[in-house]
């Protein structure tokens, strides 16, 4: 494992402040030394990416697809090493990381297929109508083009799927944008292994040097320099509200403001309707599994449950209490994330208005940095009185908000801010009576779920992982699935250019099997 900063094909000398990776479960340092990059190195990485962009954007789409597939293959070739190191650095179990690695490589294959199919460029062709009356129409053709160098901040909670070769990197490279990753300091060794795999794939396919770089940081200086660099054209981020909004501000204040696609947290409300509670309270209580999976460190963890007082709700609470008490504690990703979780959950538990439905007592004494699962309860009126209850508690925590009646339930749902997901547990026949609530859920979230947990995000073509602020910085875009490529492109139209001068995708007679609009008729020729 080469642990140094990587710019293009070159590992940098061992300069900068040294740091080590921590095993959060045992509280000990892991092997390997890492070095914070310098501002000059950040500058060099973006300049090289900008140079690479000129060549990379026009490389044949099949070649780009082959490169993405090789990235996945190279990761698979060292999968055991990646999983072992990621386990050490994150405290996440092997099975979760094996699944995450499969998701990461499948994402790369999926984007390779998308490139070969080609329709994502959204080629639209309005051929000239010289005889149109009263005025002739000129030939205009539009398609998506890449934005330029992308800065990707690796996320702490997905050391593979939202990190060095994660969804953001895959989508950016597929779109034609070179990538500079700011590695998350919680998993530098995992990042090094994955960066090595990308470097190998890039070299095999003779990709322009600078197509990919990865830098470490000792604080915020490198992240800031990358966002502020005049040649950076787009930033993606997954993490805290504070971090995401700081990057948004930096990007907005540049001479040339650029888009920041920040995913900053969500409480993923679940509304439990009366008939469903009456019919299957005990089954619904199994939601504690979604609240506590991987120590609740998912952006889609359900952090708020809403219901109206009823006998069914009492049965639900009893089953929830029994379930949560038996949940084993799990290692949290970093001591910082654990202490943040302890602080926020303690803060809520100390409030008079808050009572405990259930709390796990299964602490693993062999390990440190454990998060103990807890579910609390509050009345709707107390919930409405303090906005802190609407903030994310990242970790194995959730709160049940109990309303006196449906009007109050509507009131609490209406008070919520933007979310990644919103769920409703309901019998089909009762849904029509709660249309106001379900419409509101669709207004505030990017994914609206009926009778299912929000965790477990399907990576596909129809998925939407993004929602109104503050869940994400731009609710029009998803950060998961093939549509996430749209964050890295912009539309350009060519007016009055002859066929021979146009990009291939915009030629009416080109052999690519791409669906396009020609003279207002969709055609695949
Ligand atoms: P974070 O503190 O937001 O950091 C994420 C990345 O952004 C790190 O690489 C960090 O740099 C960088 N960064 C943060 N603020 C910055 C700034 N002002 N300027 C430049 N770079 C900046 O997130 P985290 O470390 O993953 O976890 C902290 C908290 O974030 C958690 O306790 C949780 O509340 C939240 N979180 C939420 C989700 C979610 O999906 N909902 C996921 C992860 C985290 P350095 O660390 O290198 O200094």
């Amino acid at each position: 494992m080469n642990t140094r900063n990587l710019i293009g094909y070159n590992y940098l000398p061992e300069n900068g402040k040294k740091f080590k990776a921590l095993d959060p479960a045992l509280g000990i340092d892991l092997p390997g030394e890492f070095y914070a990059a310098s501002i000059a190195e950040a500058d060099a990485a973006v300049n090289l990416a900008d140079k690479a962009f000129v060549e990379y954007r026009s490389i044949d789409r099949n070649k780009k697809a082959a490169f993405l597939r090789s990235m996945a293959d190279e990761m698979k070739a060292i999968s055991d090493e990646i999983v072992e190191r990621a386990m050490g650095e994150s405290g996440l179990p092997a099975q979760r990381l094996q699944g995450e690695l499969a998701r990461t490589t499948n994402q790369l294959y999926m984007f390779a297929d998308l490139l070969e199919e080609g329709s994502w460029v959204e080629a639209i062709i309005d051929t000239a109508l010289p005889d149109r009356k009263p005025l002739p129409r000129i030939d205009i053709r539009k398609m998506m083009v890449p934005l330029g160098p992308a800065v990707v901040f690796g996320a702490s909670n997905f050391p593979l799927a939202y990190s060095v070769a994660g969804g953001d990197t895959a989508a950016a490279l597929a779109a034609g944008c070179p990538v500079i990753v700011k590695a998350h300091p919680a998993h530098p060794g995992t990042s090094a292994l994955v960066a090595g795999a990308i470097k190998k794939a890039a070299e095999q396919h003779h990709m322009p040097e600078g197509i990919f770089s990865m830098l470490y940081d000792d604080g915020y200086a490198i992240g800031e320099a990358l966002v502020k660099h005049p040649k950076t054209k787009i930033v993606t981020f997954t993490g805290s509200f504070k971090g995401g909004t700081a990057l948004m501000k930096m990007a907005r204040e540049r001479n040339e403001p650029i888009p920041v696609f920040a995913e900053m947290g969500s409480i993923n409300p679940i509304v439990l309707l009366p008939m469903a509670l009456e019919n299957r309270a005990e089954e619904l209580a199994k939601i504690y599994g979604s609240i506590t999976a991987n120590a609740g460190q998912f952006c889609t963890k359900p952090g708020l449950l809403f219901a109206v007082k009823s006998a069914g709700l009492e049965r639900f609470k009893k089953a929830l209490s029994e379930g949560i008490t038996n949940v084993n504690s799990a290692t949290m990703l970093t001591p910082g994330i654990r202490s943040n979780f302890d602080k926020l959950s303690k803060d809520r538990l100390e409030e008079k208005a808050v009572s405990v439905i259930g709390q796990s007592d299964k602490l693993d004494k062999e390990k440190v940095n454990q998060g103990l699962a807890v579910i609390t309860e509050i009345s709707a009126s107390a919930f409405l009185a303090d906005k802190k209850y609407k903030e994310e508690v990242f970790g194995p925590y959730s709160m049940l908000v109990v309303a006196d009646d449906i009007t109050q339930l509507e009131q609490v749902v209406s008070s919520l801010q933007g979310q990644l997901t919103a769920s409703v547990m309901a019998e089909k026949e009762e849904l029509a009576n709660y249309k106001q609530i379900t419409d509101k859920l669709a207004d505030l979230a990017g994914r609206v779920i009926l009778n299912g947990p929000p965790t477990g995000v399907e990576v596909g073509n129809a998925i939407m992982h993004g929602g109104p602020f503050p869940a994400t910085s731009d609710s029009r875009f998803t950060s998961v699935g093939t549509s996430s490529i749209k964050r890295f492109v912009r539309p350009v139209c060519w007016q009055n250019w002859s066929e021979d001068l146009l990009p291939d995708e915009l030629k009416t007679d080109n052999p690519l099997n791409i669906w396009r609009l020609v003279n207002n008729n969709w055609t695949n020729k």
Side-chain angles (χ1 to χ4, degrees), residues 156-157 182 184-185 219-220 237 239-240 243 246 265 299 337 340 392 394:
S156 58
N157 60 339
K182 209 298 271 172
H184 197 286
Y220 296 159
F237 166 91
S240 62
C299 43
I337 287 177
N340 204 23
E392 181 185 36
F394 192 67

Side-chain angles (χ1 to χ4, degrees), residues 222-265:
I222 295 306
E224 194 174 326
L226 292 172
V227 174
K228 289 183 173 170
H229 196 290
K231 288 177 179 160
T232 296
K233 296 294 177 202
I234 170 171
V235 176
T236 64
F237 166 91
T238 303
S240 62
F241 178 76
K242 198 167 146 250
T245 47
L247 300 185
M248 284 164 69
K249 185 165 181 285
M250 273 177 224
R252 213 173 34 237
E253 288 172 356
R254 289 166 39 123
N255 281 341
E256 179 200 344
I258 53 168
V260 173
F261 292 99
E263 191 196 312
M264 299 172 288

Side-chain angles (χ1 to χ4, degrees), residues 459-519:
V459 184
N461 300 317
I463 193 73
M464 177 61 201
H465 191 72
F469 188 86
T472 61
S473 54
D474 194 333
S475 63
R476 294 169 298 171
F477 296 89
T478 176
S479 59
V480 173
T482 48
S483 302
S484 67
I485 199 170
K486 293 190 177 153
R487 294 171 300 163
F488 298 91
V489 293
R490 68 187 175 92
V492 172
C493 81
W494 279 259
Q495 181 170 325
N496 200 29
W497 291 73
S498 57
E499 285 272 341
D500 55 320
L501 296 173
L502 283 162
D504 278 354
E505 290 89 340
L506 293 179
K507 291 183 175 38
T508 37
D509 62 348
N510 92 67
L512 301 178
N513 184 22
I514 297 176
W515 287 88
R516 82 243 344 268
L517 191 64
V518 180
N519 283 343

Side-chain angles (χ1 to χ4, degrees), residues 41-344:
E41 287 162 348
D43 184 51
V46 186
N47 284 332
L48 199 62
D50 184 58
K51 221 170 127 199
F53 178 53
V54 178
E55 191 185 333
Y56 183 61
R57 62 182 304 173
S58 50
I59 282 179
D60 179 76
R61 65 205 178 113
N62 296 314
K63 271 195 188 162
K64 286 196 189 102
F67 163 51
L68 292 182
R69 288 203 178 94
S70 290
M71 279 172 59
D73 294 343
E74 290 298 335
M75 286 173 72
K76 278 184 169 172
I78 52 166
S79 60
D80 289 349
E81 209 183 334
I82 291 177
V83 168
E84 197 189 326
R85 182 73 193 196
M87 281 169 68
E89 291 184 334
S90 67
L92 294 169
Q95 205 187 2
R96 146 75 199 265
L97 288 163
Q98 280 152 357
E100 194 182 323
L101 182 61
R103 170 177 166 173
T104 311
T105 52
N106 285 339
Q107 273 171 180
L108 288 160
Y109 295 137
M110 198 175 73
F111 277 106
D113 292 347
L114 183 78
L115 277 178
E116 285 171 350
E117 186 269 342
S119 63
W120 69 275
V121 299
E122 295 174 11
I124 301 182
I125 301 173
D126 279 348
T127 45
L129 299 174
D131 300 327
R132 190 179 71 172
K133 299 283 182 263
L135 289 171
R137 184 174 82 179
I138 203 154
D139 188 291
I140 300 183
R141 305 177 186 209
K142 180 170 76 171
M143 65 179 266
M144 295 294 179
V145 300
L147 284 172
V151 169
V152 171
F153 283 78
S156 58
N157 60 339
F158 278 85
L160 301 169
Y162 277 95
S163 198
V164 179
D168 291 342
T169 299
L173 290 174
C177 299
V179 170
I180 304 112
V181 169
K182 209 298 271 172
H184 197 286
H187 49 261
T190 310
S191 300
L193 288 167
V194 176
I198 299 177
K199 172 173 152 30
K200 252 181 152 175
E203 282 169 341
Q204 268 167 37
H205 292 273
H206 308 290
M207 286 292 150
E209 199 188 350
I211 184 78
F212 175 80
S213 294
M214 187 188 74
L215 302 176
Y216 297 108
D217 197 359
D218 175 43
Y220 296 159
I222 295 306
E224 194 174 326
L226 292 172
V227 174
K228 289 183 173 170
H229 196 290
K231 288 177 179 160
T232 296
K233 296 294 177 202
I234 170 171
V235 176
T236 64
F237 166 91
T238 303
S240 62
F241 178 76
K242 198 167 146 250
T245 47
L247 300 185
M248 284 164 69
K249 185 165 181 285
M250 273 177 224
R252 213 173 34 237
E253 288 172 356
R254 289 166 39 123
N255 281 341
E256 179 200 344
I258 53 168
V260 173
F261 292 99
E263 191 196 312
M264 299 172 288
S266 177
I267 41 175
N268 308 297
I270 297 184
V271 177
L272 304 136
L273 292 183
M275 199 186 287
L277 277 170
E278 191 185 323
N279 290 351
R280 46 194 170 96
E282 289 73 20
E283 183 202 320
L284 293 176
K286 291 187 183 145
I287 196 67
Y288 73 82
S290 173
I291 294 166
T292 58
N294 293 150
Q297 299 168 117
F298 285 118
C299 43
T300 52
K301 179 212 71 178
L304 282 174
L305 313 170
F306 296 101
V308 175
K309 280 178 188 163
S310 72
L313 182 64
E314 290 308 310
R315 281 170 37 227
F316 171 79
K317 279 161 54 178
K318 187 167 176 287
L320 197 60
S321 172
E322 284 163 11
I324 202 87
T325 313
N326 289 313
V327 168
N328 289 326
S329 66
T331 303
M332 298 201 73
L333 293 158
T334 66
I337 287 177
R338 209 272 337 276
S339 70
N340 204 23
F341 168 70
D342 283 353
K343 184 176 155 288
L344 293 176

